[in-house]
Amino acid sequence: MNAIFVLIAGIGAMALGYLFYSKFIAERIYKLDPNFRTPAHEFEDGVDFVPTNKYVLWGHHFTSVAGAAPIIGPAIAVIWGWVPAFLWVILGTIFFAGVHDAGAIWASNRNKAKSIGALTGDVVGKRARSLFMIVIFLVLLMVNAVFAVVIAGLLVDFNSAVIPVWGAIFVALIIGQLIYRKLVGLLAVSIIGVIALYTLIGLGPAFPLALPETFMGLSDRAQWIIILFGYAAIASLLPVWVLLQPRDYINGLQLFIGLILLYAAVLLAGPDMVAPAFNTDVPAGTPSIVPLLFVTIACGAISGFHGLVAGGTTSKQLDKETDARFVGYFGAVGEGSLALAAIIAAAAGFATLADWQAVYHSFGQGGVNAFVAGGANILSNGIGLSEGLAQTLLTVMAVLFAGTTMDTGLRLQRYIFQEWGQIYDIKWMQKVIPATLLAVGACVLLAFGAGGADGSGGLLIWPLFGTTNQLLAGLTLLVITVILVRYGRPMYYTLIPLLFLLVMTVAALIIQLRTFYEQQDWFLFGLDIVVLIAAIFIALECGSTLNKLRKGELESSEVKD
């Protein structure tokens, strides 16, 4: 099939989902109230609680959640065929991710911008909260440690991306000042920022930069990992308007321009989907499509990490409650669009089926490299970009989004340590600097303690990312469902997605448990058991709470609209 039809069908379906289904969810289920005083106004402090223009906030939320995962997952999952990956991304975006993201923002906003973990303690119970916090910590640890490895690898493999990647930080700092101090209008700032970013992308291939292959016994990848953690620590300490908001906003614009260029190239070149629609001849060792498809593609269909961002940073910046629809649901649509691009690049970016099979020779192959290589071929054939410039453009796109996710992820991990400090009354842990050092220390310990001098330790626990992340999404939907029942609202629009996710995730955890046992990987085997037990107990706690609410044993609290 020609990729043009896949593109039109995917974008058209997600657009209809936003126009109609998100409107129904916002007005009839969450009942978003424009007059509700949001925590951003109630607790405004100029650091974390900052009322923010919805377009700028959308940029923050979208780019924080759209890291490398919506590229990696879909570009790996096409090994089962591009049709299953396409259907899960489109249906997942419309009926799962958008509802999840907007719901997490709404739930946090209605409860003083508390994180989903803290909120669990209020609406379900302290035991559920403790278990939930463990799952949240593991997801953040995986994201931060692994994305550092991914970014470092891309900066080494494509050193033409170094100047635009780091130059984008200085662009964001300038834009932050212009926006916050209202020196220039948002439109002018957007144009200036985009021009600056694409100028840097043009300079990248002309001035490639590389670190020494070895320095003090560390490889160039390990050096980049240390630099990235140092940067992320500093970025997580700055007020959100200084770097986080403007970096995310301008990166959001850059992504959409990059997607428009890639989509335009698809329309002009009209490449065929050379990958099988349904792959009946998968390589040996490839796991069953059910349930593994639904955890291999997490970000891009639905992701628990989104709930952490929604309740961790986004809800603290929400100017009006009604903005949750645009910021949350449309943010999910944006990530779905990126996942769709990854599928097309990985399935139509190769000249022949044999070329595609040479890359997808075993499960786990493809990923970012398939996206960059396939997408660059489409850009070159469609709009005439040189292969080097096209690769730089797509590499910068992937790195910038992974980087913004690290910025937000480390800030969220600091929040987790601070919340633990509050829960267990550890005064020093509640302070910003110690909590940040603990967050960075945990990531560095995993990276270099488990991975040795190359700093790749995060990859050791990556096989559990998909299941843990999807479990977190299901549990977030459970919390939202309990809140809906408490408010006397319809719950089936969140209950059905959460049941589907819990079934698929628990099944995947059990399958992986057997795999880890056969491989005698006792570290992942033990971690899998921890996550599985946490999932079962949290689900039982939430189920008990829902049952008590249904029987009237707990008091509901209907919100006055």
Side-chain angles (χ1 to χ4, degrees):
M1 178 182 286
N2 194 285
I4 293 176
F5 299 108
V6 179
L7 172 61
I8 293 174
I11 295 298
M14 286 188 286
L16 290 174
Y18 177 72
L19 290 174
F20 297 104
Y21 192 63
S22 76
K23 188 173 187 292
F24 168 78
I25 293 294
E27 295 180 356
R28 301 290 296 276
I29 307 303
Y30 298 141
K31 297 185 181 181
L32 303 181
D33 182 1
N35 298 316
F36 182 83
R37 191 183 185 206
T38 66
H41 290 281
E42 184 178 357
F43 306 112
E44 185 174 358
D45 61 6
V47 179
D48 293 318
F49 291 86
V50 180
T52 304
N53 177 287
K54 71 176 183 179
Y55 298 105
V56 176
L57 184 55
W58 171 85
H60 157 70
H61 181 79
F62 168 45
T63 53
S64 293
V65 300
I71 295 173
I72 297 172
I76 289 175
V78 294
I79 196 167
W80 289 299
W82 64 264
V83 169
F86 172 82
L87 290 176
W88 173 226
V89 163
I90 302 305
L91 295 177
T93 295
I94 295 171
F95 298 106
F96 288 63
V99 175
H100 171 276
D101 286 23
I105 295 173
W106 165 76
S108 178
N109 180 68
R110 285 282 166 153
N111 291 273
K112 302 184 183 301
K114 290 183 178 180
S115 71
I116 294 298
L119 198 53
T120 304
D122 292 343
V123 302
V124 181
K126 292 182 179 179
R127 286 178 300 185
R129 179 190 62 189
S130 299
L131 293 169
F132 211 140
M133 297 282 275
I134 293 173
V135 176
I136 291 172
F137 178 78
L138 287 174
V139 168
L140 290 172
L141 189 63
M142 291 174 189
V143 167
N144 293 330
V146 172
F147 278 15
V149 176
V150 171
I151 296 170
L154 287 171
L155 291 176
V156 170
D157 294 340
F158 302 96
N159 51 29
S160 61
V162 173
I163 284 180
V165 164
W166 292 101
I169 296 171
F170 295 99
V171 173
L173 288 169
I174 294 170
I175 287 176
Q177 295 295 324
L178 293 176
I179 293 176
Y180 186 74
R181 302 188 187 282
K182 300 180 180 178
L183 300 175
V184 183
L186 187 59
L187 178 60
V189 165
S190 303
I191 294 172
I192 293 170
V194 168
I195 291 174
L197 275 182
Y198 278 89
T199 300
L200 290 170
I201 290 173
L203 291 173
F207 301 98
L209 295 178
L211 294 176
E213 289 189 9
T214 58
F215 178 72
M216 297 180 66
L218 297 175
S219 67
D220 46 4
R221 280 178 168 79
Q223 295 169 51
W224 276 126
I225 290 172
I226 292 174
I227 292 171
L228 286 164
F229 279 129
Y231 156 74
I234 295 170
S236 71
L237 292 171
L238 294 173
V240 291
W241 64 268
V242 173
L243 181 59
L244 191 65
Q245 282 182 357
R247 177 167 156 80
D248 290 352
Y249 174 67
I250 202 65
N251 284 350
L253 293 178
Q254 186 265 347
L255 172 68
F256 260 93
I257 293 173
L259 284 177
I260 289 170
L261 290 175
L262 184 56
Y263 288 160
V266 171
L267 294 174
L268 292 171
D272 289 325
M273 304 287 282
V274 298
F278 298 92
N279 192 4
T280 57
D281 186 25
V282 295
T286 302
S288 170
I289 187 173
V290 178
L292 268 298
L293 171 69
F294 303 102
V295 296
T296 301
I297 301 180
C299 302
I302 182 172
S303 164
F305 181 72
H306 294 202
L308 303 185
V309 176
T313 58
T314 303
S315 63
K316 293 179 175 63
Q317 303 169 61
L318 196 68
D319 184 33
K320 296 180 180 179
E321 187 174 77
T322 47
D323 292 348
R325 178 193 173 200
F326 179 79
V327 174
Y329 197 103
F330 193 63
V333 169
E335 190 177 56
S337 301
L338 177 58
L340 176 62
I343 291 171
I344 292 174
F350 297 88
T352 65
L353 175 60
D355 292 333
W356 181 85
Q357 290 173 330
V359 172
Y360 288 89
H361 55 82
S362 63
F363 182 70
Q365 299 301 311
V368 174
N369 288 336
F371 169 75
V372 172
N377 288 335
I378 294 173
L379 285 168
S380 298
N381 295 329
I383 58 178
L385 289 183
S386 68
E387 185 174 349
L389 182 58
Q391 287 184 344
T392 300
L393 172 66
L394 295 176
T395 301
V396 170
M397 184 187 298
V399 170
L400 287 181
F401 283 98
T404 54
T405 300
M406 273 192 69
D407 291 358
T408 304
L410 201 62
R411 186 180 291 258
L412 293 173
Q413 203 162 5
R414 181 242 294 175
Y415 291 164
I416 292 295
F417 279 109
Q418 288 180 298
E419 287 183 9
W420 274 335
Q422 293 169 359
I423 292 170
Y424 299 109
D425 196 27
I426 305 174
K427 300 296 184 184
W428 64 268
M429 193 183 290
Q430 299 175 30
K431 297 179 180 180
V432 172
I433 298 296
T436 301
L437 292 176
L438 285 173
V440 174
C443 295
V444 171
L445 182 62
L446 175 63
F448 291 94
D454 65 354
S456 62
L459 296 177
L460 293 177
I461 60 175
W462 183 252
L464 274 174
F465 171 75
T467 46
T468 308
N469 192 36
Q470 295 302 71
L471 169 64
L472 183 57
L475 299 178
T476 301
L477 285 170
L478 266 173
V479 173
I480 296 170
T481 302
V482 171
I483 294 174
L484 286 172
V485 174
R486 285 181 178 272
Y487 285 178
R489 310 277 178 80
M491 66 175 181
Y492 296 104
Y493 301 94
T494 55
L495 181 64
I496 293 173
L498 81 84
L499 290 176
F500 179 85
L501 279 178
L502 287 180
V503 169
M504 291 300 166
T505 303
V506 170
L509 282 168
I510 294 172
I511 290 173
Q512 288 182 318
L513 195 65
R514 178 180 176 181
T515 301
F516 298 146
Y517 177 79
E518 292 174 347
Q519 295 173 348
Q520 295 188 350
D521 190 332
W522 305 120
F523 175 70
L524 286 180
F525 181 82
L527 198 58
D528 193 313
I529 291 176
V530 170
V531 174
L532 185 59
I533 292 174
I536 293 171
F537 275 97
I538 296 171
L540 290 174
E541 290 280 350
C542 290
S544 174
T545 302
L546 282 172
N547 189 47
K548 290 177 181 177
L549 283 169
R550 184 179 61 83
K551 292 180 176 180
E553 296 176 12
L554 292 178
E555 182 181 353
S556 295
S557 53
E558 174 62 43
V559 172
K560 303 300 181 183
D561 298 310

